[in-house]
Short mmCIF file of all heavy atoms in Angstrom, two decimals:
data_model
loop_
_atom_site.label_atom_id
_atom_site.label_comp_id
_atom_site.label_asym_id
_atom_site.label_seq_id
_atom_site.Cartn_x
_atom_site.Cartn_y
_atom_site.Cartn_z
N SER B 7 7.12 -5.31 -5.46
CA SER B 7 6.75 -3.90 -5.26
C SER B 7 5.31 -3.64 -5.63
O SER B 7 4.56 -2.96 -4.94
CB SER B 7 7.67 -2.97 -6.08
OG SER B 7 9.02 -3.10 -5.68
N ARG B 8 4.88 -4.26 -6.76
CA ARG B 8 3.49 -4.12 -7.20
C ARG B 8 2.54 -4.73 -6.17
O ARG B 8 1.51 -4.17 -5.82
CB ARG B 8 3.31 -4.79 -8.56
CG ARG B 8 2.00 -4.42 -9.25
CD ARG B 8 1.74 -5.30 -10.47
NE ARG B 8 2.90 -5.54 -11.29
CZ ARG B 8 3.34 -4.71 -12.23
NH1 ARG B 8 2.71 -3.58 -12.46
NH2 ARG B 8 4.41 -5.03 -12.95
N LEU B 9 2.90 -5.91 -5.66
CA LEU B 9 2.08 -6.61 -4.69
C LEU B 9 1.98 -5.83 -3.38
O LEU B 9 0.89 -5.69 -2.80
CB LEU B 9 2.66 -8.00 -4.43
CG LEU B 9 1.94 -8.88 -3.43
CD1 LEU B 9 0.50 -9.16 -3.87
CD2 LEU B 9 2.69 -10.19 -3.24
N ARG B 10 3.08 -5.28 -2.94
CA ARG B 10 3.10 -4.51 -1.70
C ARG B 10 2.20 -3.27 -1.80
O ARG B 10 1.41 -2.97 -0.90
CB ARG B 10 4.54 -4.12 -1.38
CG ARG B 10 4.77 -3.51 -0.02
CD ARG B 10 6.24 -3.35 0.26
NE ARG B 10 6.94 -2.56 -0.76
CZ ARG B 10 8.20 -2.18 -0.64
NH1 ARG B 10 8.90 -2.51 0.43
NH2 ARG B 10 8.79 -1.47 -1.61
N ARG B 11 2.30 -2.59 -2.92
CA ARG B 11 1.49 -1.40 -3.16
C ARG B 11 -0.01 -1.76 -3.20
O ARG B 11 -0.85 -1.06 -2.68
CB ARG B 11 1.92 -0.72 -4.45
CG ARG B 11 1.28 0.62 -4.70
CD ARG B 11 1.91 1.29 -5.91
NE ARG B 11 1.16 2.47 -6.32
CZ ARG B 11 1.46 3.21 -7.40
NH1 ARG B 11 2.54 2.91 -8.11
NH2 ARG B 11 0.74 4.24 -7.72
N ARG B 12 -0.29 -2.90 -3.84
CA ARG B 12 -1.69 -3.35 -3.94
C ARG B 12 -2.28 -3.66 -2.57
O ARG B 12 -3.42 -3.30 -2.26
CB ARG B 12 -1.79 -4.58 -4.84
CG ARG B 12 -3.21 -5.02 -5.15
CD ARG B 12 -3.19 -6.29 -5.97
NE ARG B 12 -3.28 -7.47 -5.13
CZ ARG B 12 -3.10 -8.71 -5.57
NH1 ARG B 12 -2.79 -8.94 -6.82
NH2 ARG B 12 -3.22 -9.73 -4.75
N VAL B 13 -1.51 -4.35 -1.74
CA VAL B 13 -2.01 -4.73 -0.40
C VAL B 13 -2.31 -3.49 0.41
O VAL B 13 -3.34 -3.42 1.12
CB VAL B 13 -1.01 -5.65 0.31
CG1 VAL B 13 -1.39 -5.83 1.77
CG2 VAL B 13 -0.92 -7.00 -0.39
N ILE B 14 -1.44 -2.49 0.33
CA ILE B 14 -1.69 -1.26 1.08
C ILE B 14 -2.98 -0.59 0.60
O ILE B 14 -3.80 -0.14 1.41
CB ILE B 14 -0.49 -0.28 0.93
CG1 ILE B 14 0.72 -0.84 1.70
CG2 ILE B 14 -0.85 1.12 1.45
CD1 ILE B 14 1.98 -0.06 1.47
N GLN B 15 -3.20 -0.54 -0.71
CA GLN B 15 -4.43 0.04 -1.25
C GLN B 15 -5.65 -0.74 -0.77
O GLN B 15 -6.67 -0.14 -0.41
CB GLN B 15 -4.38 0.07 -2.77
CG GLN B 15 -3.39 1.10 -3.34
CD GLN B 15 -3.46 1.16 -4.85
OE1 GLN B 15 -4.26 0.49 -5.49
NE2 GLN B 15 -2.62 1.98 -5.44
N GLU B 16 -5.55 -2.06 -0.78
CA GLU B 16 -6.69 -2.89 -0.38
C GLU B 16 -7.00 -2.71 1.11
O GLU B 16 -8.17 -2.61 1.50
CB GLU B 16 -6.43 -4.36 -0.71
CG GLU B 16 -6.42 -4.66 -2.20
CD GLU B 16 -5.98 -6.07 -2.51
OE1 GLU B 16 -5.47 -6.76 -1.57
OE2 GLU B 16 -6.14 -6.50 -3.66
N LEU B 17 -5.99 -2.68 1.95
CA LEU B 17 -6.19 -2.48 3.37
C LEU B 17 -6.81 -1.12 3.66
O LEU B 17 -7.71 -0.99 4.51
CB LEU B 17 -4.88 -2.65 4.13
CG LEU B 17 -4.30 -4.07 4.20
CD1 LEU B 17 -2.91 -4.04 4.79
CD2 LEU B 17 -5.22 -4.98 5.02
N HIS B 18 -6.32 -0.09 2.95
CA HIS B 18 -6.88 1.23 3.15
C HIS B 18 -8.33 1.29 2.70
O HIS B 18 -9.18 1.92 3.34
CB HIS B 18 -6.04 2.25 2.39
CG HIS B 18 -6.44 3.68 2.65
ND1 HIS B 18 -6.38 4.24 3.91
CD2 HIS B 18 -6.90 4.65 1.82
CE1 HIS B 18 -6.79 5.50 3.84
NE2 HIS B 18 -7.13 5.76 2.60
N ALA B 19 -8.64 0.59 1.59
CA ALA B 19 -10.02 0.58 1.09
C ALA B 19 -10.95 -0.15 2.07
O ALA B 19 -12.16 0.12 2.10
CB ALA B 19 -10.06 -0.11 -0.29
N GLN B 20 -10.40 -1.05 2.87
CA GLN B 20 -11.19 -1.77 3.88
C GLN B 20 -11.44 -0.92 5.13
O GLN B 20 -12.15 -1.34 6.02
CB GLN B 20 -10.50 -3.06 4.27
CG GLN B 20 -10.43 -4.09 3.15
CD GLN B 20 -9.51 -5.25 3.45
OE1 GLN B 20 -9.10 -5.44 4.61
NE2 GLN B 20 -9.16 -6.02 2.44
N GLY B 21 -10.85 0.29 5.18
CA GLY B 21 -11.11 1.19 6.28
C GLY B 21 -9.95 1.42 7.24
O GLY B 21 -10.08 2.21 8.19
N LEU B 22 -8.81 0.76 7.01
CA LEU B 22 -7.67 0.99 7.89
C LEU B 22 -6.95 2.27 7.49
O LEU B 22 -6.80 2.58 6.30
CB LEU B 22 -6.67 -0.19 7.79
CG LEU B 22 -6.95 -1.40 8.71
CD1 LEU B 22 -8.19 -2.17 8.22
CD2 LEU B 22 -5.73 -2.32 8.75
N SER B 23 -6.51 3.01 8.50
CA SER B 23 -5.71 4.19 8.21
C SER B 23 -4.29 3.77 7.88
O SER B 23 -3.86 2.66 8.20
CB SER B 23 -5.70 5.12 9.44
OG SER B 23 -4.94 4.54 10.50
N TYR B 24 -3.55 4.69 7.25
CA TYR B 24 -2.17 4.38 6.92
C TYR B 24 -1.33 4.21 8.18
O TYR B 24 -0.38 3.43 8.23
CB TYR B 24 -1.60 5.46 6.02
CG TYR B 24 -2.26 5.50 4.67
CD1 TYR B 24 -2.92 6.64 4.22
CD2 TYR B 24 -2.25 4.39 3.83
CE1 TYR B 24 -3.54 6.67 2.99
CE2 TYR B 24 -2.87 4.40 2.60
CZ TYR B 24 -3.52 5.54 2.19
OH TYR B 24 -4.15 5.57 0.96
N ALA B 25 -1.70 4.92 9.25
CA ALA B 25 -1.00 4.76 10.52
C ALA B 25 -1.22 3.36 11.07
O ALA B 25 -0.29 2.73 11.60
CB ALA B 25 -1.50 5.81 11.50
N GLN B 26 -2.44 2.84 10.97
CA GLN B 26 -2.74 1.49 11.44
C GLN B 26 -1.99 0.45 10.60
O GLN B 26 -1.44 -0.52 11.16
CB GLN B 26 -4.25 1.22 11.36
CG GLN B 26 -5.07 1.99 12.37
CD GLN B 26 -6.56 1.82 12.13
OE1 GLN B 26 -7.05 1.96 11.02
NE2 GLN B 26 -7.29 1.49 13.21
N ILE B 27 -1.99 0.65 9.30
CA ILE B 27 -1.27 -0.30 8.43
C ILE B 27 0.21 -0.31 8.77
O ILE B 27 0.85 -1.38 8.87
CB ILE B 27 -1.46 0.08 6.95
CG1 ILE B 27 -2.96 -0.03 6.57
CG2 ILE B 27 -0.63 -0.80 6.04
CD1 ILE B 27 -3.28 0.55 5.20
N ALA B 28 0.78 0.88 8.99
CA ALA B 28 2.20 0.98 9.33
C ALA B 28 2.50 0.26 10.63
O ALA B 28 3.49 -0.48 10.73
CB ALA B 28 2.60 2.46 9.42
N LYS B 29 1.64 0.46 11.63
CA LYS B 29 1.88 -0.16 12.95
C LYS B 29 1.84 -1.68 12.84
O LYS B 29 2.71 -2.38 13.37
CB LYS B 29 0.81 0.32 13.94
CG LYS B 29 0.98 -0.26 15.32
CD LYS B 29 -0.09 0.27 16.28
CE LYS B 29 0.06 -0.36 17.68
NZ LYS B 29 -0.99 0.12 18.61
N GLU B 30 0.81 -2.21 12.14
CA GLU B 30 0.67 -3.67 12.05
C GLU B 30 1.79 -4.29 11.20
O GLU B 30 2.19 -5.43 11.42
CB GLU B 30 -0.69 -4.02 11.43
CG GLU B 30 -1.88 -3.69 12.33
CD GLU B 30 -1.85 -4.49 13.62
OE1 GLU B 30 -1.41 -5.66 13.61
OE2 GLU B 30 -2.24 -3.94 14.66
N ALA B 31 2.28 -3.53 10.21
CA ALA B 31 3.33 -4.07 9.33
C ALA B 31 4.72 -3.84 9.88
O ALA B 31 5.71 -4.32 9.29
CB ALA B 31 3.20 -3.43 7.95
N GLY B 32 4.84 -3.09 10.99
CA GLY B 32 6.15 -2.80 11.55
C GLY B 32 6.94 -1.81 10.72
O GLY B 32 8.17 -1.84 10.69
N LEU B 33 6.21 -0.88 10.03
CA LEU B 33 6.86 0.14 9.21
C LEU B 33 6.44 1.51 9.71
O LEU B 33 5.47 1.64 10.46
CB LEU B 33 6.46 -0.03 7.74
CG LEU B 33 6.82 -1.37 7.08
CD1 LEU B 33 6.14 -1.48 5.73
CD2 LEU B 33 8.32 -1.51 6.94
N THR B 34 7.14 2.52 9.28
CA THR B 34 6.75 3.87 9.64
C THR B 34 5.64 4.34 8.72
O THR B 34 5.48 3.83 7.58
CB THR B 34 7.92 4.85 9.53
OG1 THR B 34 8.31 4.96 8.14
CG2 THR B 34 9.10 4.36 10.35
N ARG B 35 4.87 5.32 9.18
CA ARG B 35 3.81 5.88 8.34
C ARG B 35 4.40 6.51 7.09
O ARG B 35 3.82 6.41 5.98
CB ARG B 35 3.01 6.91 9.14
CG ARG B 35 1.81 7.46 8.38
CD ARG B 35 0.98 8.36 9.26
NE ARG B 35 -0.14 8.91 8.53
CZ ARG B 35 -1.04 9.72 9.04
NH1 ARG B 35 -0.96 10.07 10.33
NH2 ARG B 35 -2.03 10.20 8.32
N GLY B 36 5.55 7.16 7.23
CA GLY B 36 6.21 7.75 6.08
C GLY B 36 6.58 6.70 5.03
O GLY B 36 6.49 6.95 3.82
N ARG B 37 7.04 5.53 5.50
CA ARG B 37 7.41 4.46 4.58
C ARG B 37 6.18 3.95 3.84
O ARG B 37 6.24 3.66 2.64
CB ARG B 37 8.09 3.33 5.35
CG ARG B 37 8.57 2.19 4.46
CD ARG B 37 9.68 2.65 3.54
NE ARG B 37 10.21 1.55 2.77
CZ ARG B 37 10.42 1.59 1.46
NH1 ARG B 37 10.14 2.68 0.79
NH2 ARG B 37 10.91 0.56 0.82
N ILE B 38 5.05 3.82 4.54
CA ILE B 38 3.83 3.37 3.90
C ILE B 38 3.42 4.35 2.81
O ILE B 38 3.04 3.94 1.69
CB ILE B 38 2.68 3.22 4.93
CG1 ILE B 38 2.97 2.04 5.87
CG2 ILE B 38 1.33 3.02 4.23
CD1 ILE B 38 2.99 0.68 5.20
N HIS B 39 3.48 5.64 3.09
CA HIS B 39 3.14 6.64 2.08
C HIS B 39 4.10 6.57 0.90
O HIS B 39 3.68 6.73 -0.25
CB HIS B 39 3.16 8.04 2.70
CG HIS B 39 1.92 8.39 3.44
ND1 HIS B 39 0.74 8.77 2.81
CD2 HIS B 39 1.62 8.40 4.78
CE1 HIS B 39 -0.20 9.01 3.70
NE2 HIS B 39 0.30 8.78 4.91
N GLN B 40 5.36 6.31 1.17
CA GLN B 40 6.34 6.20 0.09
C GLN B 40 6.01 5.00 -0.81
O GLN B 40 6.05 5.10 -2.04
CB GLN B 40 7.74 6.06 0.68
CG GLN B 40 8.84 5.99 -0.38
CD GLN B 40 10.21 5.75 0.25
OE1 GLN B 40 10.35 5.00 1.19
NE2 GLN B 40 11.22 6.40 -0.32
N ILE B 41 5.68 3.88 -0.21
CA ILE B 41 5.34 2.68 -0.98
C ILE B 41 4.11 2.93 -1.86
O ILE B 41 4.03 2.47 -2.99
CB ILE B 41 5.11 1.48 -0.04
CG1 ILE B 41 6.42 1.08 0.65
CG2 ILE B 41 4.50 0.29 -0.80
CD1 ILE B 41 6.23 0.08 1.77
N ARG B 42 3.13 3.67 -1.30
CA ARG B 42 1.91 3.96 -2.04
C ARG B 42 2.16 4.69 -3.34
O ARG B 42 1.38 4.55 -4.30
CB ARG B 42 0.97 4.86 -1.20
CG ARG B 42 0.16 4.16 -0.13
CD ARG B 42 -0.75 5.17 0.54
NE ARG B 42 -1.67 5.78 -0.42
CZ ARG B 42 -1.86 7.08 -0.55
NH1 ARG B 42 -1.20 7.94 0.20
NH2 ARG B 42 -2.73 7.55 -1.43
N HIS B 43 3.21 5.48 -3.39
CA HIS B 43 3.41 6.36 -4.54
C HIS B 43 4.63 5.99 -5.37
O HIS B 43 4.97 6.72 -6.31
CB HIS B 43 3.57 7.81 -4.05
CG HIS B 43 2.36 8.34 -3.37
ND1 HIS B 43 1.17 8.58 -4.04
CD2 HIS B 43 2.12 8.64 -2.07
CE1 HIS B 43 0.26 9.04 -3.18
NE2 HIS B 43 0.81 9.09 -1.97
N THR B 44 5.25 4.87 -5.09
CA THR B 44 6.42 4.45 -5.87
C THR B 44 6.20 3.03 -6.37
O THR B 44 5.39 2.28 -5.83
CB THR B 44 7.71 4.53 -5.04
OG1 THR B 44 7.57 3.68 -3.88
CG2 THR B 44 8.01 5.94 -4.61
N GLY B 45 6.97 2.67 -7.38
CA GLY B 45 6.85 1.33 -7.91
C GLY B 45 5.70 1.21 -8.90
O GLY B 45 4.90 2.13 -9.07
N PRO B 46 5.60 0.06 -9.57
CA PRO B 46 4.56 -0.11 -10.58
C PRO B 46 3.16 -0.16 -9.99
O PRO B 46 2.95 -0.69 -8.89
CB PRO B 46 4.93 -1.46 -11.23
CG PRO B 46 5.70 -2.18 -10.15
CD PRO B 46 6.43 -1.12 -9.40
N ALA B 47 2.20 0.41 -10.71
CA ALA B 47 0.82 0.45 -10.23
C ALA B 47 0.22 -0.95 -10.20
O ALA B 47 0.47 -1.76 -11.09
CB ALA B 47 0.00 1.34 -11.13
N PRO B 48 -0.58 -1.26 -9.20
CA PRO B 48 -1.16 -2.61 -9.06
C PRO B 48 -2.00 -3.04 -10.25
O PRO B 48 -2.02 -4.22 -10.61
CB PRO B 48 -2.00 -2.50 -7.80
CG PRO B 48 -1.43 -1.37 -7.02
CD PRO B 48 -0.92 -0.41 -8.05
N GLU B 49 -2.70 -2.07 -10.90
CA GLU B 49 -3.60 -2.45 -11.98
C GLU B 49 -2.88 -3.01 -13.20
O GLU B 49 -3.52 -3.61 -14.07
CB GLU B 49 -4.47 -1.27 -12.39
CG GLU B 49 -3.72 -0.04 -12.87
CD GLU B 49 -3.50 0.97 -11.75
OE1 GLU B 49 -3.46 0.56 -10.57
OE2 GLU B 49 -3.37 2.16 -12.07
N GLY B 50 -1.56 -2.87 -13.26
CA GLY B 50 -0.81 -3.49 -14.34
C GLY B 50 -0.98 -4.99 -14.36
O GLY B 50 -0.84 -5.63 -15.42
N ALA B 51 -1.27 -5.57 -13.19
CA ALA B 51 -1.44 -7.03 -13.10
C ALA B 51 -2.66 -7.50 -13.87
O ALA B 51 -2.84 -8.70 -14.08
CB ALA B 51 -1.54 -7.46 -11.64
N PHE B 52 -3.54 -6.57 -14.28
CA PHE B 52 -4.66 -6.95 -15.16
C PHE B 52 -4.13 -7.59 -16.43
O PHE B 52 -4.75 -8.50 -16.99
CB PHE B 52 -5.51 -5.73 -15.49
CG PHE B 52 -6.72 -6.03 -16.34
CD1 PHE B 52 -7.90 -6.43 -15.76
CD2 PHE B 52 -6.67 -5.91 -17.71
CE1 PHE B 52 -9.02 -6.73 -16.52
CE2 PHE B 52 -7.77 -6.19 -18.49
CZ PHE B 52 -8.95 -6.60 -17.90
N LEU B 53 -2.98 -7.12 -16.90
CA LEU B 53 -2.38 -7.65 -18.12
C LEU B 53 -1.57 -8.91 -17.86
O LEU B 53 -1.39 -9.74 -18.77
CB LEU B 53 -1.48 -6.60 -18.77
CG LEU B 53 -2.15 -5.27 -19.14
CD1 LEU B 53 -1.12 -4.28 -19.63
CD2 LEU B 53 -3.23 -5.49 -20.18
N GLY B 54 -1.07 -9.08 -16.63
CA GLY B 54 -0.25 -10.23 -16.28
C GLY B 54 0.84 -9.81 -15.33
O GLY B 54 0.93 -8.65 -14.91
#
């Protein structure tokens, strides 16, 4: 869950819209937004 959320953040930071990310990943835009806001934050991996 942490990894999935991180990848979405990184792709968005590279300039992709959430709609584009959803299309390429085979998910709905609503699901992408849900993943962005649920689960553990990616920066926790700084600790391990």
Side-chain angles (χ1 to χ4, degrees):
S7 298
R8 193 191 318 276
L9 179 61
R10 189 172 56 173
R11 187 172 170 183
R12 187 183 93 190
V13 170
I14 290 173
Q15 289 185 2
E16 290 173 348
L17 289 172
H18 186 61
Q20 293 168 14
L22 275 70
S23 69
Y24 294 120
Q26 290 173 312
I27 297 170
K29 180 179 178 181
E30 292 297 325
L33 300 170
T34 66
R35 185 174 178 179
R37 183 65 176 133
I38 291 295
H39 279 282
Q40 183 184 38
I41 292 170
R42 280 183 60 229
H43 297 292
T44 58
E49 59 266 26
F52 183 85
L53 302 174

